[in-house]
Amino acid sequence: LSTETGQEFNRGMVNKKRLSLSLPPAGSPEKSFDEKVKDEQLKAQKIISSHLEVRHIQNEARWQTLCDLMKDAVTSLVFTPPKPVTFPKKTNYRAEDAVLLLSDIQYGKCTPTYNFETAKKRINHIFNSVFEIVDIHRHAYPINNLHIICLGDMVDGESIYPTQAHHIDAPLVDQLFLGAPNMVDNLARAASHFENVYCYGVPGNHGRLGRFDDEVSNFDRIFYKIIELATANVGNIHWSITPKWYDVVKIMNTQFLAVHGHQIKMTFNLPWYGITTRISRWATTAQVGNFDAVCMGHFHVSSNLAWNNKHIFTNGTTIAGDEFALELLGMESSESQWFFGVHPERITWKYCLGF
């Protein structure tokens, strides 16, 4: 009896050890190659599922924290209430709308000549220029509406490239909540100069969370949403924040395709071949093909050209001392933003607003 008990005990210990090594119990039939492969696949799936679950929990916790911060911060934003709108007397000429392109502000970016305070001053200067130009044009015809197309990279981000931590002067949360009041204040001023202020927002690459996160989860969109919430009580400010990487905006009778531009690859370190070929392809698609003009940022180089009856605006940047275009394209960055007029039949006047 003791011998049989000992043998049973030994078999139990052997089987326990084999199971710990993911081996079948002693005496069981050997698994086929396909069965072994299937077992390994199941193990790999469990590991992947576990990692994905951890990542999902981390992302959800991060978003909940950001949402709580956004709710608390938006309620504390203070801006000047808009004054009643007054316009010059009517003329015999048809009214036009004004369009301002804003992109590549990159609140939080730091260079020897650019920081948060510089960014705020430059945005204030842009809006002051808009008001002055519109006042001049109103002597000839009415300009009642302002359209602001935000083309992305409103914040600089934190980990878009390996050495970025050495080129920012504020963490990402501060980029959002210190940059937003500056934009809110200027939108409130715009609301006192125009009957309506229409704002549109597309995301840029500097707002990305990471390579593996949902494209909708973009800090540019959060930036726009903060401003939308902060100006919700101003009746003549209207927001449209697209969940896509592009938007098609109709102003008067002109359709504008708004994209950031990082979707376009360069050829020989120059963007224009990529821009024109990609626009030609987009023009043939069912989703975005119905447009007359294209507005984009990203390249930090200002240009305006006509291509197959399509107007193309590439916006500059507000960053001073920026070496992105110099290093990548071999060209100086354009410290400017586009501002132009739209007639019921066409785009009319254009200003490249510098600093």
Side-chain angles (χ1 to χ4, degrees), residues 113-354:
T113 53
Y114 189 79
N115 55 27
F116 240 114
E117 292 305 313
T118 312
K120 292 177 181 179
K121 290 178 182 178
R122 291 196 160 198
I123 292 301
N124 294 341
H125 176 77
I126 285 288
F127 277 87
N128 289 338
S129 300
V130 165
F131 303 147
E132 183 176 351
I133 291 169
V134 167
D135 286 344
I136 293 171
H137 280 263
R138 279 176 174 162
H139 288 287
Y141 44 81
I143 300 178
N144 300 329
N145 301 315
L146 173 65
H147 301 261
I148 301 175
I149 304 177
C150 299
L151 297 168
D153 281 5
M154 312 306 280
V155 295
D156 197 44
E158 285 182 341
S159 56
I160 304 304
Y161 53 92
T163 62
Q164 189 172 16
H166 303 284
H167 302 283
I168 58 175
D169 64 353
L172 186 50
V173 171
D174 287 345
Q175 294 173 27
L176 291 168
F177 297 116
L178 296 178
N182 175 233
M183 196 65 68
V184 167
D185 182 65
N186 281 293
L187 287 183
R189 292 200 297 145
S192 69
H193 282 76
F194 297 90
E195 286 185 0
N196 291 287
V197 178
Y198 298 98
C199 302
Y200 316 88
V202 297
N205 59 305
H206 275 259
R208 296 175 302 184
L209 282 178
R211 291 181 299 168
F212 302 103
D213 295 287
D214 193 326
E215 293 88 346
V216 176
S217 304
N218 188 292
F219 284 102
D220 279 330
R221 288 194 176 95
I222 296 175
F223 185 81
Y224 302 145
K225 194 65 180 178
I226 292 171
I227 301 170
E228 180 187 25
L229 292 172
T231 57
N233 64 333
V234 184
N236 63 335
I237 296 179
H238 317 278
W239 271 93
S240 174
I241 305 170
T242 178
K244 302 177 181 178
W245 54 268
Y246 71 93
D247 198 5
V248 178
V249 177
K250 184 176 182 180
I251 301 175
M252 292 287 190
N253 295 315
T254 301
Q255 297 268 33
F256 291 87
L257 173 61
V259 297
H260 178 62
H262 63 286
Q263 302 86 355
I264 298 172
K265 304 301 181 184
M266 292 187 290
T267 303
F268 298 114
N269 287 340
L270 292 173
W272 290 278
Y273 175 78
I275 289 172
T276 53
T277 54
R278 185 64 60 89
I279 288 172
S280 297
R281 293 174 184 174
W282 281 335
T284 64
T285 63
Q287 287 183 315
V288 300
N290 185 24
F291 60 87
D292 307 295
V294 182
C295 304
M296 68 177 65
H298 182 62
F299 298 105
H300 295 199
V301 174
S302 177
S303 68
N304 171 232
L305 65 151
W307 183 264
N308 283 344
N309 295 320
K310 307 287 187 188
H311 291 274
I312 304 173
F313 291 92
T314 62
N315 213 26
T317 178
T318 61
I319 301 172
D322 176 45
E323 295 188 353
F324 170 77
L326 185 63
E327 180 180 1
L328 199 63
L329 310 179
M331 302 176 64
E332 295 280 359
S333 289
S334 303
E335 298 176 20
S336 61
Q337 304 281 279
W338 277 108
F339 181 53
F340 53 88
V342 180
H343 184 271
E345 297 176 2
R346 67 184 72 87
I347 297 171
T348 52
W349 43 269
K350 307 164 194 171
Y351 293 87
C352 195
L353 303 179

